[in-house]
Amino acid sequence: MRAARLIKMVLLLQSRPAMTAAELADELEVSERTVTRDAQALSEAGVPVYAERGRAGGYRLIGGYRTRLTGLRRGEAEALFLSGVPGALREMGLQDAASAARLKVSAALLPSLRDAPRTAAQRFHLDAPDWFKEPGTPGLLPAVADAVWDDRRITARYRRGEREVVRELEPYGLVLKAGVWYLCARVPSGPGAFRVYRIDRFTAVEAGEERFARDEEFDLPAFWAERAEQFARSILRAEVVVRLSPRGVRGLPYAVDPRAAREALDAAGAAGADGWVTVTLPVESEEVAHTQLRMLGPEAEVLEPDSLRERFARDARRLAGLYGHPAP
């Protein structure tokens, strides 16, 4: 346990110019006293850990010290080679760089771990696009990715409905969601708000020479999770009242937005004597609800609004006409 902690401490100090005892204690989940003892143990073992005292002090490695990756266990080495997403790297134009990095890491591994890339690739594969959707790579994605890596401002022409707009953007990060690429960027003019843009709606991108000062507190995964939830809620502008059989209750999260289904079921009253439950369900529109709830067939009965109930009544009459008599 301590050996693994010492290796992690060395790797942390390699990745940063210096770290305080408090920062190391937080990363290693130990006390500052333990950090002091570990630093002394590393120094005695020949690792050049230098302690600087004072308010701005901390620990750092001197002499450009680097350690080889000889402390990796098999599971860690295999996980390392799962961290790259081949398709996404290829689309961003980073395939050659990623390949070179994997070769360098492989060369640094112990001989007993040299098969880690092969064993990981044979056991796990990521296929990001949804079913029945033809994946397409936006032609401007590599240019946007280069700007993201270099923190360079871009001038982007963007399709919004039937017209095009031009925006000056500070590109912070890229997100691949269900086969679609999005750019999370800050608009420097005005309030400097962060916004999300679909890359396939860019018609032109030009990166300038000027670099922007990145907000170090920006958290891409947290920002995306918040915006994704806001988007999912924003499109649910209507409500329908539906009775569901026990089978319909089980199938509802697969027919409509899962979060909306869970919230509707949680807020529903007790089931009736026949086992059916009445829920008030937020939906995108009456047309979308009609399409989605048809998946439940006779396991769902729409009560409100009357216009949607009439749609299903017409469907029922048509189905009765088709199936009311034996086929010839």
Side-chain angles (χ1 to χ4, degrees):
M1 180 66 179
R2 191 190 185 199
R5 189 175 71 240
L6 292 174
I7 292 172
K8 184 175 181 180
M9 184 174 178
V10 173
L11 294 175
L12 285 169
L13 293 174
Q14 280 188 189
S15 64
R16 307 179 194 182
M19 294 183 70
T20 66
E23 291 171 337
L24 284 168
D26 184 59
E27 290 280 356
L28 300 172
E29 299 180 348
V30 295
S31 67
E32 292 186 32
R33 185 181 296 274
T34 300
V35 168
T36 301
R37 289 198 297 264
D38 286 352
Q40 184 176 355
L42 287 171
S43 181
E44 292 173 354
V47 178
V49 178
Y50 177 72
E52 294 179 326
R53 301 187 182 278
R55 298 181 63 181
Y59 293 93
R60 63 184 179 88
L61 295 174
I62 61 176
Y65 178 84
R66 311 295 294 178
T67 181
R68 292 173 61 84
L69 299 176
T70 52
L72 286 177
R73 296 190 295 271
R74 171 164 291 277
E76 294 169 336
E78 291 174 344
L80 178 64
F81 285 96
L82 285 175
S83 61
V85 185
L89 292 170
R90 182 175 60 252
E91 292 177 6
M92 288 190 292
L94 298 175
Q95 185 177 20
D96 291 342
S99 178
R102 285 193 293 268
L103 285 173
K104 291 177 181 178
V105 173
S106 296
L109 292 174
L110 291 171
S112 60
L113 300 179
R114 295 285 168 79
D115 64 339
R118 181 179 59 83
T119 57
Q122 287 177 343
R123 287 164 174 78
F124 299 98
H125 174 68
L126 175 65
D127 185 9
D130 279 347
W131 286 103
F132 313 118
K133 288 187 178 180
E134 196 67 31
T137 302
L140 295 173
L141 177 59
V144 176
D146 285 345
V148 169
W149 281 114
D150 290 342
D151 293 339
R152 294 186 183 276
R153 288 187 177 181
I154 61 173
T155 301
R157 187 176 293 275
Y158 185 78
R159 287 197 308 273
R160 175 176 288 178
E162 298 298 321
R163 62 191 183 95
E164 289 189 354
V165 297
V166 177
R167 292 286 184 269
E168 298 288 334
L169 301 175
E170 295 177 350
Y172 266 67
L174 291 168
V175 175
L176 177 61
K177 170 70 172 180
V180 180
W181 283 96
Y182 296 87
L183 172 67
C184 301
R186 183 166 63 181
V187 182
S189 59
F194 287 94
R195 297 179 183 174
V196 177
Y197 300 86
R198 280 185 59 146
I199 303 296
D200 57 7
R201 291 181 183 168
F202 285 140
T203 58
V205 171
E206 182 178 349
E209 294 298 322
E210 180 185 1
R211 285 186 167 86
F212 62 89
R214 177 177 287 266
D215 182 354
E216 296 301 332
E217 295 185 359
F218 177 77
D219 185 330
L220 179 60
F223 170 79
W224 178 259
E226 179 183 355
R227 286 304 175 92
E229 183 174 357
Q230 289 176 357
F231 173 76
R233 292 183 181 278
S234 69
I235 64 174
L236 303 179
R237 302 186 181 94
E239 286 187 346
V240 298
V241 181
V242 188
R243 288 181 69 238
L244 299 166
S245 71
R247 189 174 179 180
V249 168
R250 294 192 296 272
L252 185 66
Y254 301 97
V256 302
D257 178 73
R259 185 184 293 104
R262 288 195 300 270
E263 293 179 357
L265 291 170
D266 290 342
D274 57 358
W276 285 58
V277 175
T278 300
V279 302
T280 299
L281 181 69
V283 294
E284 183 174 349
S285 65
E286 184 174 314
E287 290 75 14
V288 172
H290 181 227
T291 300
Q292 293 175 331
L293 293 174
R294 278 192 302 190
M295 296 174 60
L296 299 178
E299 309 304 328
E301 177 190 3
V302 173
L303 303 180
E304 298 177 17
D306 291 339
S307 55
L308 181 58
R309 182 177 175 86
E310 179 56 33
R311 285 177 184 246
F312 279 95
R314 288 197 298 269
D315 290 347
R317 290 192 291 269
R318 291 180 61 196
L319 287 170
L322 290 173
Y323 295 101
H325 303 284

